[in-house]
Amino acid sequence: MADIRFDGRVAIVTGAGAGLGKTYALALAERGAKVVVNDLGGSRDGSGADSKAADMVVAEIKGKGGEAVANYDSVATKEGGENIVKTAVEAFGKVDILINNAGILRDKSLMKIEEAEWDLVLAVHLKGAFCVTQPAFKVMKENGFGRIINTASGAGLYGNFGQSNYCSAKMGLVGLMNNVCIEGAKYNILCNTIAPVAASRLTEDVLPPSLFEKLKPEFVTPLVLYLVSEECTTGKMIFNCAAGWFSRTEVLCAPGICLGDGKRDINAEEIRENWAAITSLDNAKPLANVTESFGFLGPLLS
Ligand code: NAI
C-alpha cells in the first residue's frame, strides 16, 4: 500500500515549538503538508512568550525542504485563535488539519488552587481549543474536509491528584470533540481525541527517569498522523497512546435497568435493591449522541 501522505494539505499544530507538537509538525511536513507552527513560547506554567520556539521548528522544517510558517499567538483568546487560522489561510490558502496541542500546567491540590490558576489552565487547554477550532471549522466547512485532534490526558479521563484544573479542561476537550463531530459530519470534518504520555518538560519531574527515557514523543506521532489523514474516516474516538501503546478508551452507556413507567414514583430503597444492575457495565457501549440514550427507556417509549 502507498505511504500516508499530506501533499496539498495545510495543517495547523498549536504548541508546536516543543514536545509532542514539534514532532507532529515535523512529521506532517516530512510527508508533504504545509504547516503552521504555532507556539507562544512561554514557560511550562504559561508565563512569558518567545518567538524562538516556533521559529526554530520552522527553520528545521525548511532545512529539510519542507514548507512551514510560524505563528506566535496564544491560543487562549478569540483574536489569537482567529489569527492562527488567518496565518494558514494567508500563507497557504486553507486549513485541512488542526491539532489542538498547546498546553501548560499549574498543578495544585483542590484545597490550594487559586481562581487564577484554574482560569489560566482552562483558558489555554479548553477555551484555547475552541478559539482555534471555531475559525478553522469555518474554513474546513467551506472546503468539505477537516481533520481535528484534541489533546486530552489520562489525568482528565481517569483522574490525577493535584490537577483539578487540568483534569477538568482535558475532559472538556472530549465534550468539544463530540460536538465538532456531530456538527461537522456532513462536511467531512472529523475530530478525535488523544490521551498521550510522553517525555517533555511537562513530565520531566513527574515520570520516573527509567520510564521517561522510553517515552519519546515520536512514539505518539504515528497515531496522530493516521487520524489526520484522508484515509481515516473514524471520528469521535478517544485513544491512549504512549511508548508505542495505542488503545481506545471511551465514555460508555450501559443498558442498566429502567425502573420507571412514567407514572409511578420510585423510592431510594429501589435504587439500593437494584444497585448491581444500575452500576453494571455489562453490554455498555459508546453512543452516537444524547438522543440515543433515550433508547434505554424501553417500555416508556411505546
Ligand atoms: P510541552 O510543554 O513540551 O509543549 C507544549 C507547547 O505548548 C509549548 O511549546 C508551549 O510553549 C506551547 N503553549 C503553551 N501555552 C500556549 C498558548 N497559550 N498558545 C500557544 N502555545 C502555547 O508539552 P507536551 O508534553 O508536548 O504537551 C503537549 C500537549 O499534550 C499538552 O496539551 C499536554 O497537556 C498534553 N499531554 C501531554 C502529556 C505528556 O505526557 N507529555 C500527557 C497528557 C497530555
mmCIF file with all atom_site columns, all heavy atoms in Angstrom, residues 15 19-20 38-41 74-75 101-104 125 151-152 166 170 196-198 200-203, ligand 1:
data_model
loop_
_atom_site.group_PDB
_atom_site.id
_atom_site.type_symbol
_atom_site.label_atom_id
_atom_site.label_alt_id
_atom_site.label_comp_id
_atom_site.label_asym_id
_atom_site.label_entity_id
_atom_site.label_seq_id
_atom_site.pdbx_PDB_ins_code
_atom_site.Cartn_x
_atom_site.Cartn_y
_atom_site.Cartn_z
_atom_site.occupancy
_atom_site.B_iso_or_equiv
_atom_site.pdbx_formal_charge
_atom_site.auth_seq_id
_atom_site.auth_comp_id
_atom_site.auth_asym_id
_atom_site.auth_atom_id
_atom_site.pdbx_PDB_model_num
ATOM   1   N N   . GLY A 1 15  ? 1.042   24.894 19.791 1.00 0.00 ? 15  GLY A N   1
ATOM   2   C CA  . GLY A 1 15  ? 2.084   24.459 20.733 1.00 0.00 ? 15  GLY A CA  1
ATOM   3   C C   . GLY A 1 15  ? 3.110   23.572 20.057 1.00 0.00 ? 15  GLY A C   1
ATOM   4   O O   . GLY A 1 15  ? 3.588   22.595 20.636 1.00 0.00 ? 15  GLY A O   1
ATOM   5   N N   . GLY A 1 19  ? 8.185   19.552 22.386 1.00 0.00 ? 19  GLY A N   1
ATOM   6   C CA  . GLY A 1 19  ? 7.465   18.347 22.819 1.00 0.00 ? 19  GLY A CA  1
ATOM   7   C C   . GLY A 1 19  ? 6.704   17.635 21.720 1.00 0.00 ? 19  GLY A C   1
ATOM   8   O O   . GLY A 1 19  ? 7.196   17.465 20.590 1.00 0.00 ? 19  GLY A O   1
ATOM   9   N N   . LEU A 1 20  ? 5.501   17.216 22.051 1.00 0.00 ? 20  LEU A N   1
ATOM   10  C CA  . LEU A 1 20  ? 4.681   16.439 21.114 1.00 0.00 ? 20  LEU A CA  1
ATOM   11  C C   . LEU A 1 20  ? 4.349   17.224 19.852 1.00 0.00 ? 20  LEU A C   1
ATOM   12  O O   . LEU A 1 20  ? 4.433   16.704 18.733 1.00 0.00 ? 20  LEU A O   1
ATOM   13  C CB  . LEU A 1 20  ? 3.379   16.013 21.815 1.00 0.00 ? 20  LEU A CB  1
ATOM   14  C CG  . LEU A 1 20  ? 3.539   14.894 22.850 1.00 0.00 ? 20  LEU A CG  1
ATOM   15  C CD1 . LEU A 1 20  ? 2.365   14.897 23.832 1.00 0.00 ? 20  LEU A CD1 1
ATOM   16  C CD2 . LEU A 1 20  ? 3.642   13.539 22.157 1.00 0.00 ? 20  LEU A CD2 1
ATOM   17  N N   . ASN A 1 38  ? 2.446   26.946 15.358 1.00 0.00 ? 38  ASN A N   1
ATOM   18  C CA  . ASN A 1 38  ? 2.041   27.943 16.361 1.00 0.00 ? 38  ASN A CA  1
ATOM   19  C C   . ASN A 1 38  ? 2.729   27.645 17.690 1.00 0.00 ? 38  ASN A C   1
ATOM   20  O O   . ASN A 1 38  ? 2.742   26.490 18.125 1.00 0.00 ? 38  ASN A O   1
ATOM   21  C CB  . ASN A 1 38  ? 0.513   27.904 16.555 1.00 0.00 ? 38  ASN A CB  1
ATOM   22  C CG  . ASN A 1 38  ? 0.112   28.471 17.917 1.00 0.00 ? 38  ASN A CG  1
ATOM   23  O OD1 . ASN A 1 38  ? -0.088  27.740 18.881 1.00 0.00 ? 38  ASN A OD1 1
ATOM   24  N ND2 . ASN A 1 38  ? 0.058   29.781 18.008 1.00 0.00 ? 38  ASN A ND2 1
ATOM   25  N N   . ASP A 1 39  ? 3.282   28.650 18.307 1.00 0.00 ? 39  ASP A N   1
ATOM   26  C CA  . ASP A 1 39  ? 3.750   28.497 19.693 1.00 0.00 ? 39  ASP A CA  1
ATOM   27  C C   . ASP A 1 39  ? 3.958   29.868 20.327 1.00 0.00 ? 39  ASP A C   1
ATOM   28  O O   . ASP A 1 39  ? 4.584   30.748 19.756 1.00 0.00 ? 39  ASP A O   1
ATOM   29  C CB  . ASP A 1 39  ? 5.046   27.687 19.773 1.00 0.00 ? 39  ASP A CB  1
ATOM   30  C CG  . ASP A 1 39  ? 5.180   26.977 21.113 1.00 0.00 ? 39  ASP A CG  1
ATOM   31  O OD1 . ASP A 1 39  ? 5.347   27.669 22.144 1.00 0.00 ? 39  ASP A OD1 1
ATOM   32  O OD2 . ASP A 1 39  ? 5.093   25.751 21.144 1.00 0.00 ? 39  ASP A OD2 1
ATOM   33  N N   . LEU A 1 40  ? 3.403   30.000 21.512 1.00 0.00 ? 40  LEU A N   1
ATOM   34  C CA  . LEU A 1 40  ? 3.567   31.234 22.279 1.00 0.00 ? 40  LEU A CA  1
ATOM   35  C C   . LEU A 1 40  ? 4.988   31.337 22.825 1.00 0.00 ? 40  LEU A C   1
ATOM   36  O O   . LEU A 1 40  ? 5.502   32.443 23.047 1.00 0.00 ? 40  LEU A O   1
ATOM   37  C CB  . LEU A 1 40  ? 2.561   31.232 23.434 1.00 0.00 ? 40  LEU A CB  1
ATOM   38  C CG  . LEU A 1 40  ? 2.526   32.414 24.388 1.00 0.00 ? 40  LEU A CG  1
ATOM   39  C CD1 . LEU A 1 40  ? 2.106   33.691 23.664 1.00 0.00 ? 40  LEU A CD1 1
ATOM   40  C CD2 . LEU A 1 40  ? 1.583   32.137 25.551 1.00 0.00 ? 40  LEU A CD2 1
ATOM   41  N N   . GLY A 1 41  ? 5.596   30.201 23.067 1.00 0.00 ? 41  GLY A N   1
ATOM   42  C CA  . GLY A 1 41  ? 6.979   30.187 23.552 1.00 0.00 ? 41  GLY A CA  1
ATOM   43  C C   . GLY A 1 41  ? 7.136   30.568 25.016 1.00 0.00 ? 41  GLY A C   1
ATOM   44  O O   . GLY A 1 41  ? 8.202   31.014 25.434 1.00 0.00 ? 41  GLY A O   1
ATOM   45  N N   . SER A 1 74  ? -1.177  33.402 21.273 1.00 0.00 ? 74  SER A N   1
ATOM   46  C CA  . SER A 1 74  ? -1.698  32.474 22.287 1.00 0.00 ? 74  SER A CA  1
ATOM   47  C C   . SER A 1 74  ? -3.023  31.920 21.771 1.00 0.00 ? 74  SER A C   1
ATOM   48  O O   . SER A 1 74  ? -3.851  32.649 21.226 1.00 0.00 ? 74  SER A O   1
ATOM   49  C CB  . SER A 1 74  ? -1.951  33.204 23.603 1.00 0.00 ? 74  SER A CB  1
ATOM   50  O OG  . SER A 1 74  ? -2.658  32.345 24.475 1.00 0.00 ? 74  SER A OG  1
ATOM   51  N N   . VAL A 1 75  ? -3.219  30.630 21.975 1.00 0.00 ? 75  VAL A N   1
ATOM   52  C CA  . VAL A 1 75  ? -4.499  30.019 21.586 1.00 0.00 ? 75  VAL A CA  1
ATOM   53  C C   . VAL A 1 75  ? -5.636  30.482 22.507 1.00 0.00 ? 75  VAL A C   1
ATOM   54  O O   . VAL A 1 75  ? -6.804  30.294 22.186 1.00 0.00 ? 75  VAL A O   1
ATOM   55  C CB  . VAL A 1 75  ? -4.425  28.468 21.643 1.00 0.00 ? 75  VAL A CB  1
ATOM   56  C CG1 . VAL A 1 75  ? -3.446  27.919 20.629 1.00 0.00 ? 75  VAL A CG1 1
ATOM   57  C CG2 . VAL A 1 75  ? -4.082  27.974 23.056 1.00 0.00 ? 75  VAL A CG2 1
ATOM   58  N N   . ASN A 1 101 ? -3.012  21.205 20.525 1.00 0.00 ? 101 ASN A N   1
ATOM   59  C CA  . ASN A 1 101 ? -1.981  20.545 21.336 1.00 0.00 ? 101 ASN A CA  1
ATOM   60  C C   . ASN A 1 101 ? -1.387  21.446 22.422 1.00 0.00 ? 101 ASN A C   1
ATOM   61  O O   . ASN A 1 101 ? -0.866  20.950 23.413 1.00 0.00 ? 101 ASN A O   1
ATOM   62  C CB  . ASN A 1 101 ? -0.870  20.054 20.381 1.00 0.00 ? 101 ASN A CB  1
ATOM   63  C CG  . ASN A 1 101 ? 0.377   19.642 21.101 1.00 0.00 ? 101 ASN A CG  1
ATOM   64  O OD1 . ASN A 1 101 ? 0.456   18.551 21.659 1.00 0.00 ? 101 ASN A OD1 1
ATOM   65  N ND2 . ASN A 1 101 ? 1.386   20.520 21.126 1.00 0.00 ? 101 ASN A ND2 1
ATOM   66  N N   . ALA A 1 102 ? -1.472  22.766 22.246 1.00 0.00 ? 102 ALA A N   1
ATOM   67  C CA  . ALA A 1 102 ? -0.816  23.691 23.192 1.00 0.00 ? 102 ALA A CA  1
ATOM   68  C C   . ALA A 1 102 ? -1.266  23.400 24.619 1.00 0.00 ? 102 ALA A C   1
ATOM   69  O O   . ALA A 1 102 ? -2.444  23.135 24.870 1.00 0.00 ? 102 ALA A O   1
ATOM   70  C CB  . ALA A 1 102 ? -1.166  25.131 22.828 1.00 0.00 ? 102 ALA A CB  1
ATOM   71  N N   . GLY A 1 103 ? -0.326  23.466 25.546 1.00 0.00 ? 103 GLY A N   1
ATOM   72  C CA  . GLY A 1 103 ? -0.709  23.166 26.921 1.00 0.00 ? 103 GLY A CA  1
ATOM   73  C C   . GLY A 1 103 ? 0.276   23.675 27.948 1.00 0.00 ? 103 GLY A C   1
ATOM   74  O O   . GLY A 1 103 ? 1.453   23.901 27.656 1.00 0.00 ? 103 GLY A O   1
ATOM   75  N N   . ILE A 1 104 ? -0.242  23.882 29.143 1.00 0.00 ? 104 ILE A N   1
ATOM   76  C CA  . ILE A 1 104 ? 0.565   24.332 30.285 1.00 0.00 ? 104 ILE A CA  1
ATOM   77  C C   . ILE A 1 104 ? 0.117   23.572 31.529 1.00 0.00 ? 104 ILE A C   1
ATOM   78  O O   . ILE A 1 104 ? -0.884  22.855 31.506 1.00 0.00 ? 104 ILE A O   1
ATOM   79  C CB  . ILE A 1 104 ? 0.384   25.844 30.547 1.00 0.00 ? 104 ILE A CB  1
ATOM   80  C CG1 . ILE A 1 104 ? -1.097  26.159 30.836 1.00 0.00 ? 104 ILE A CG1 1
ATOM   81  C CG2 . ILE A 1 104 ? 0.886   26.668 29.383 1.00 0.00 ? 104 ILE A CG2 1
ATOM   82  C CD1 . ILE A 1 104 ? -1.311  27.490 31.510 1.00 0.00 ? 104 ILE A CD1 1
ATOM   83  N N   . HIS A 1 125 ? -6.094  25.261 27.603 1.00 0.00 ? 125 HIS A N   1
ATOM   84  C CA  . HIS A 1 125 ? -6.446  23.939 27.073 1.00 0.00 ? 125 HIS A CA  1
ATOM   85  C C   . HIS A 1 125 ? -7.842  23.915 26.437 1.00 0.00 ? 125 HIS A C   1
ATOM   86  O O   . HIS A 1 125 ? -7.996  23.481 25.299 1.00 0.00 ? 125 HIS A O   1
ATOM   87  C CB  . HIS A 1 125 ? -6.390  22.885 28.187 1.00 0.00 ? 125 HIS A CB  1
ATOM   88  C CG  . HIS A 1 125 ? -5.006  22.592 28.652 1.00 0.00 ? 125 HIS A CG  1
ATOM   89  N ND1 . HIS A 1 125 ? -4.193  21.684 28.034 1.00 0.00 ? 125 HIS A ND1 1
ATOM   90  C CD2 . HIS A 1 125 ? -4.277  23.125 29.675 1.00 0.00 ? 125 HIS A CD2 1
ATOM   91  C CE1 . HIS A 1 125 ? -3.018  21.642 28.662 1.00 0.00 ? 125 HIS A CE1 1
ATOM   92  N NE2 . HIS A 1 125 ? -3.042  22.504 29.647 1.00 0.00 ? 125 HIS A NE2 1
ATOM   93  N N   . THR A 1 151 ? -6.274  17.253 22.324 1.00 0.00 ? 151 THR A N   1
ATOM   94  C CA  . THR A 1 151 ? -5.323  16.552 23.197 1.00 0.00 ? 151 THR A CA  1
ATOM   95  C C   . THR A 1 151 ? -5.849  16.548 24.625 1.00 0.00 ? 151 THR A C   1
ATOM   96  O O   . THR A 1 151 ? -5.838  17.573 25.308 1.00 0.00 ? 151 THR A O   1
ATOM   97  C CB  . THR A 1 151 ? -3.937  17.218 23.145 1.00 0.00 ? 151 THR A CB  1
ATOM   98  O OG1 . THR A 1 151 ? -3.546  17.332 21.772 1.00 0.00 ? 151 THR A OG1 1
ATOM   99  C CG2 . THR A 1 151 ? -2.915  16.386 23.898 1.00 0.00 ? 151 THR A CG2 1
ATOM   100 N N   . ALA A 1 152 ? -6.339  15.403 25.033 1.00 0.00 ? 152 ALA A N   1
ATOM   101 C CA  . ALA A 1 152 ? -6.786  15.247 26.422 1.00 0.00 ? 152 ALA A CA  1
ATOM   102 C C   . ALA A 1 152 ? -5.622  14.696 27.236 1.00 0.00 ? 152 ALA A C   1
ATOM   103 O O   . ALA A 1 152 ? -4.451  14.965 26.935 1.00 0.00 ? 152 ALA A O   1
ATOM   104 C CB  . ALA A 1 152 ? -7.997  14.330 26.478 1.00 0.00 ? 152 ALA A CB  1
ATOM   105 N N   . TYR A 1 166 ? -6.482  21.069 35.366 1.00 0.00 ? 166 TYR A N   1
ATOM   106 C CA  . TYR A 1 166 ? -6.022  20.361 34.153 1.00 0.00 ? 166 TYR A CA  1
ATOM   107 C C   . TYR A 1 166 ? -6.984  19.214 33.787 1.00 0.00 ? 166 TYR A C   1
ATOM   108 O O   . TYR A 1 166 ? -7.366  19.060 32.623 1.00 0.00 ? 166 TYR A O   1
ATOM   109 C CB  . TYR A 1 166 ? -4.614  19.838 34.437 1.00 0.00 ? 166 TYR A CB  1
ATOM   110 C CG  . TYR A 1 166 ? -3.892  19.167 33.308 1.00 0.00 ? 166 TYR A CG  1
ATOM   111 C CD1 . TYR A 1 166 ? -3.330  19.902 32.272 1.00 0.00 ? 166 TYR A CD1 1
ATOM   112 C CD2 . TYR A 1 166 ? -3.747  17.777 33.289 1.00 0.00 ? 166 TYR A CD2 1
ATOM   113 C CE1 . TYR A 1 166 ? -2.631  19.278 31.250 1.00 0.00 ? 166 TYR A CE1 1
ATOM   114 C CE2 . TYR A 1 166 ? -3.052  17.147 32.268 1.00 0.00 ? 166 TYR A CE2 1
ATOM   115 C CZ  . TYR A 1 166 ? -2.497  17.900 31.250 1.00 0.00 ? 166 TYR A CZ  1
ATOM   116 O OH  . TYR A 1 166 ? -1.808  17.282 30.236 1.00 0.00 ? 166 TYR A OH  1
ATOM   117 N N   . LYS A 1 170 ? -9.163  18.951 30.394 1.00 0.00 ? 170 LYS A N   1
ATOM   118 C CA  . LYS A 1 170 ? -8.909  17.834 29.477 1.00 0.00 ? 170 LYS A CA  1
ATOM   119 C C   . LYS A 1 170 ? -10.182 17.051 29.199 1.00 0.00 ? 170 LYS A C   1
ATOM   120 O O   . LYS A 1 170 ? -10.405 16.579 28.079 1.00 0.00 ? 170 LYS A O   1
ATOM   121 C CB  . LYS A 1 170 ? -7.815  16.923 30.045 1.00 0.00 ? 170 LYS A CB  1
ATOM   122 C CG  . LYS A 1 170 ? -6.420  17.553 30.022 1.00 0.00 ? 170 LYS A CG  1
ATOM   123 C CD  . LYS A 1 170 ? -6.039  18.048 28.629 1.00 0.00 ? 170 LYS A CD  1
ATOM   124 C CE  . LYS A 1 170 ? -4.568  18.293 28.425 1.00 0.00 ? 170 LYS A CE  1
ATOM   125 N NZ  . LYS A 1 170 ? -4.278  18.879 27.105 1.00 0.00 ? 170 LYS A NZ  1
ATOM   126 N N   . PRO A 1 196 ? -2.118  11.293 25.384 1.00 0.00 ? 196 PRO A N   1
ATOM   127 C CA  . PRO A 1 196 ? -0.744  10.793 25.238 1.00 0.00 ? 196 PRO A CA  1
ATOM   128 C C   . PRO A 1 196 ? 0.006   10.728 26.572 1.00 0.00 ? 196 PRO A C   1
ATOM   129 O O   . PRO A 1 196 ? -0.393  11.357 27.549 1.00 0.00 ? 196 PRO A O   1
ATOM   130 C CB  . PRO A 1 196 ? -0.107  11.853 24.339 1.00 0.00 ? 196 PRO A CB  1
ATOM   131 C CG  . PRO A 1 196 ? -0.807  13.124 24.704 1.00 0.00 ? 196 PRO A CG  1
ATOM   132 C CD  . PRO A 1 196 ? -2.208  12.748 25.129 1.00 0.00 ? 196 PRO A CD  1
ATOM   133 N N   . VAL A 1 197 ? 1.067   9.976  26.590 1.00 0.00 ? 197 VAL A N   1
ATOM   134 C CA  . VAL A 1 197 ? 2.084   10.105 27.644 1.00 0.00 ? 197 VAL A CA  1
ATOM   135 C C   . VAL A 1 197 ? 3.419   10.172 26.921 1.00 0.00 ? 197 VAL A C   1
ATOM   136 O O   . VAL A 1 197 ? 3.707   9.324  26.071 1.00 0.00 ? 197 VAL A O   1
ATOM   137 C CB  . VAL A 1 197 ? 2.092   8.919  28.630 1.00 0.00 ? 197 VAL A CB  1
ATOM   138 C CG1 . VAL A 1 197 ? 3.075   9.212  29.767 1.00 0.00 ? 197 VAL A CG1 1
ATOM   139 C CG2 . VAL A 1 197 ? 0.701   8.648  29.193 1.00 0.00 ? 197 VAL A CG2 1
ATOM   140 N N   . ALA A 1 198 ? 4.208   11.201 27.213 1.00 0.00 ? 198 ALA A N   1
ATOM   141 C CA  . ALA A 1 198 ? 5.474   11.375 26.505 1.00 0.00 ? 198 ALA A CA  1
ATOM   142 C C   . ALA A 1 198 ? 6.449   12.193 27.347 1.00 0.00 ? 198 ALA A C   1
ATOM   143 O O   . ALA A 1 198 ? 6.038   13.018 28.173 1.00 0.00 ? 198 ALA A O   1
ATOM   144 C CB  . ALA A 1 198 ? 5.220   12.092 25.177 1.00 0.00 ? 198 ALA A CB  1
ATOM   145 N N   . SER A 1 200 ? 8.538   15.124 28.076 1.00 0.00 ? 200 SER A N   1
ATOM   146 C CA  . SER A 1 200 ? 8.577   16.538 27.682 1.00 0.00 ? 200 SER A CA  1
ATOM   147 C C   . SER A 1 200 ? 8.807   17.349 28.951 1.00 0.00 ? 200 SER A C   1
ATOM   148 O O   . SER A 1 200 ? 8.873   16.796 30.048 1.00 0.00 ? 200 SER A O   1
ATOM   149 C CB  . SER A 1 200 ? 7.265   16.960 27.017 1.00 0.00 ? 200 SER A CB  1
ATOM   150 O OG  . SER A 1 200 ? 6.275   17.194 28.004 1.00 0.00 ? 200 SER A OG  1
ATOM   151 N N   . ARG A 1 201 ? 8.866   18.660 28.807 1.00 0.00 ? 201 ARG A N   1
ATOM   152 C CA  . ARG A 1 201 ? 9.090   19.471 30.008 1.00 0.00 ? 201 ARG A CA  1
ATOM   153 C C   . ARG A 1 201 ? 7.895   19.389 30.967 1.00 0.00 ? 201 ARG A C   1
ATOM   154 O O   . ARG A 1 201 ? 8.011   19.713 32.139 1.00 0.00 ? 201 ARG A O   1
ATOM   155 C CB  . ARG A 1 201 ? 9.379   20.918 29.628 1.00 0.00 ? 201 ARG A CB  1
ATOM   156 C CG  . ARG A 1 201 ? 8.197   21.634 29.010 1.00 0.00 ? 201 ARG A CG  1
ATOM   157 C CD  . ARG A 1 201 ? 8.531   23.075 28.698 1.00 0.00 ? 201 ARG A CD  1
ATOM   158 N NE  . ARG A 1 201 ? 7.358   23.751 28.182 1.00 0.00 ? 201 ARG A NE  1
ATOM   159 C CZ  . ARG A 1 201 ? 7.304   25.040 27.920 1.00 0.00 ? 201 ARG A CZ  1
ATOM   160 N NH1 . ARG A 1 201 ? 8.364   25.782 28.118 1.00 0.00 ? 201 ARG A NH1 1
ATOM   161 N NH2 . ARG A 1 201 ? 6.209   25.597 27.458 1.00 0.00 ? 201 ARG A NH2 1
ATOM   162 N N   . LEU A 1 202 ? 6.724   18.962 30.428 1.00 0.00 ? 202 LEU A N   1
ATOM   163 C CA  . LEU A 1 202 ? 5.561   18.830 31.311 1.00 0.00 ? 202 LEU A CA  1
ATOM   164 C C   . LEU A 1 202 ? 5.671   17.618 32.221 1.00 0.00 ? 202 LEU A C   1
ATOM   165 O O   . LEU A 1 202 ? 5.036   17.556 33.260 1.00 0.00 ? 202 LEU A O   1
ATOM   166 C CB  . LEU A 1 202 ? 4.264   18.724 30.491 1.00 0.00 ? 202 LEU A CB  1
ATOM   167 C CG  . LEU A 1 202 ? 3.788   19.926 29.689 1.00 0.00 ? 202 LEU A CG  1
ATOM   168 C CD1 . LEU A 1 202 ? 2.374   19.700 29.166 1.00 0.00 ? 202 LEU A CD1 1
ATOM   169 C CD2 . LEU A 1 202 ? 3.824   21.207 30.516 1.00 0.00 ? 202 LEU A CD2 1
ATOM   170 N N   . THR A 1 203 ? 6.474   16.632 31.787 1.00 0.00 ? 203 THR A N   1
ATOM   171 C CA  . THR A 1 203 ? 6.518   15.378 32.549 1.00 0.00 ? 203 THR A CA  1
ATOM   172 C C   . THR A 1 203 ? 7.894   15.063 33.138 1.00 0.00 ? 203 THR A C   1
ATOM   173 O O   . THR A 1 203 ? 8.053   14.047 33.811 1.00 0.00 ? 203 THR A O   1
ATOM   174 C CB  . THR A 1 203 ? 6.084   14.196 31.647 1.00 0.00 ? 203 THR A CB  1
ATOM   175 O OG1 . THR A 1 203 ? 6.813   14.279 30.403 1.00 0.00 ? 203 THR A OG1 1
ATOM   176 C CG2 . THR A 1 203 ? 4.607   14.203 31.364 1.00 0.00 ? 203 THR A CG2 1
HETATM 177 P P1  . NAI B 2 .   ? 5.399   20.966 26.007 1.00 0.00 ? 1   NAI B P1  1
HETATM 178 O O1  . NAI B 2 .   ? 5.437   21.920 27.148 1.00 0.00 ? 1   NAI B O1  1
HETATM 179 O O2  . NAI B 2 .   ? 6.668   20.358 25.554 1.00 0.00 ? 1   NAI B O2  1
HETATM 180 O O3  . NAI B 2 .   ? 4.689   21.623 24.750 1.00 0.00 ? 1   NAI B O3  1
HETATM 181 C C1  . NAI B 2 .   ? 3.575   22.459 24.862 1.00 0.00 ? 1   NAI B C1  1
HETATM 182 C C2  . NAI B 2 .   ? 3.791   23.657 23.972 1.00 0.00 ? 1   NAI B C2  1
HETATM 183 O O4  . NAI B 2 .   ? 2.611   24.481 24.027 1.00 0.00 ? 1   NAI B O4  1
HETATM 184 C C3  . NAI B 2 .   ? 4.959   24.531 24.429 1.00 0.00 ? 1   NAI B C3  1
HETATM 185 O O5  . NAI B 2 .   ? 5.895   24.691 23.382 1.00 0.00 ? 1   NAI B O5  1
HETATM 186 C C4  . NAI B 2 .   ? 4.303   25.841 24.814 1.00 0.00 ? 1   NAI B C4  1
HETATM 187 O O6  . NAI B 2 .   ? 5.100   26.995 24.542 1.00 0.00 ? 1   NAI B O6  1
HETATM 188 C C5  . NAI B 2 .   ? 3.037   25.831 24.000 1.00 0.00 ? 1   NAI B C5  1
HETATM 189 N N1  . NAI B 2 .   ? 1.996   26.695 24.561 1.00 0.00 ? 1   NAI B N1  1
HETATM 190 C C6  . NAI B 2 .   ? 1.649   26.811 25.854 1.00 0.00 ? 1   NAI B C6  1
HETATM 191 N N2  . NAI B 2 .   ? 0.667   27.707 26.004 1.00 0.00 ? 1   NAI B N2  1
HETATM 192 C C7  . NAI B 2 .   ? 0.378   28.163 24.763 1.00 0.00 ? 1   NAI B C7  1
HETATM 193 C C8  . NAI B 2 .   ? -0.564  29.094 24.280 1.00 0.00 ? 1   NAI B C8  1
HETATM 194 N N3  . NAI B 2 .   ? -1.390  29.750 25.094 1.00 0.00 ? 1   NAI B N3  1
HETATM 195 N N4  . NAI B 2 .   ? -0.623  29.316 22.948 1.00 0.00 ? 1   NAI B N4  1
HETATM 196 C C9  . NAI B 2 .   ? 0.226   28.669 22.100 1.00 0.00 ? 1   NAI B C9  1
HETATM 197 N N5  . NAI B 2 .   ? 1.158   27.789 22.531 1.00 0.00 ? 1   NAI B N5  1
HETATM 198 C C10 . NAI B 2 .   ? 1.231   27.538 23.842 1.00 0.00 ? 1   NAI B C10 1
HETATM 199 O O7  . NAI B 2 .   ? 4.361   19.826 26.464 1.00 0.00 ? 1   NAI B O7  1
HETATM 200 P P2  . NAI B 2 .   ? 3.898   18.434 25.772 1.00 0.00 ? 1   NAI B P2  1
HETATM 201 O O8  . NAI B 2 .   ? 4.131   17.399 26.766 1.00 0.00 ? 1   NAI B O8  1
HETATM 202 O O9  . NAI B 2 .   ? 4.437   18.286 24.419 1.00 0.00 ? 1   NAI B O9  1
HETATM 203 O O10 . NAI B 2 .   ? 2.323   18.672 25.737 1.00 0.00 ? 1   NAI B O10 1
HETATM 204 C C11 . NAI B 2 .   ? 1.557   18.777 24.551 1.00 0.00 ? 1   NAI B C11 1
HETATM 205 C C12 . NAI B 2 .   ? 0.110   18.510 24.892 1.00 0.00 ? 1   NAI B C12 1
HETATM 206 O O11 . NAI B 2 .   ? -0.039  17.163 25.322 1.00 0.00 ? 1   NAI B O11 1
HETATM 207 C C13 . NAI B 2 .   ? -0.444  19.378 26.018 1.00 0.00 ? 1   NAI B C13 1
HETATM 208 O O12 . NAI B 2 .   ? -1.775  19.727 25.724 1.00 0.00 ? 1   NAI B O12 1
HETATM 209 C C14 . NAI B 2 .   ? -0.407  18.456 27.220 1.00 0.00 ? 1   NAI B C14 1
HETATM 210 O O13 . NAI B 2 .   ? -1.335  18.817 28.209 1.00 0.00 ? 1   NAI B O13 1
HETATM 211 C C15 . NAI B 2 .   ? -0.726  17.130 26.555 1.00 0.00 ? 1   NAI B C15 1
HETATM 212 N N6  . NAI B 2 .   ? -0.331  15.987 27.318 1.00 0.00 ? 1   NAI B N6  1
HETATM 213 C C16 . NAI B 2 .   ? 0.989   15.678 27.458 1.00 0.00 ? 1   NAI B C16 1
HETATM 214 C C17 . NAI B 2 .   ? 1.337   14.581 28.202 1.00 0.00 ? 1   NAI B C17 1
HETATM 215 C C18 . NAI B 2 .   ? 2.741   14.149 28.315 1.00 0.00 ? 1   NAI B C18 1
HETATM 216 O O14 . NAI B 2 .   ? 2.970   13.057 28.901 1.00 0.00 ? 1   NAI B O14 1
HETATM 217 N N7  . NAI B 2 .   ? 3.710   14.890 27.813 1.00 0.00 ? 1   NAI B N7  1
HETATM 218 C C19 . NAI B 2 .   ? 0.336   13.784 28.938 1.00 0.00 ? 1   NAI B C19 1
HETATM 219 C C20 . NAI B 2 .   ? -1.014  14.145 28.646 1.00 0.00 ? 1   NAI B C20 1
HETATM 220 C C21 . NAI B 2 .   ? -1.319  15.228 27.884 1.00 0.00 ? 1   NAI B C21 1
#
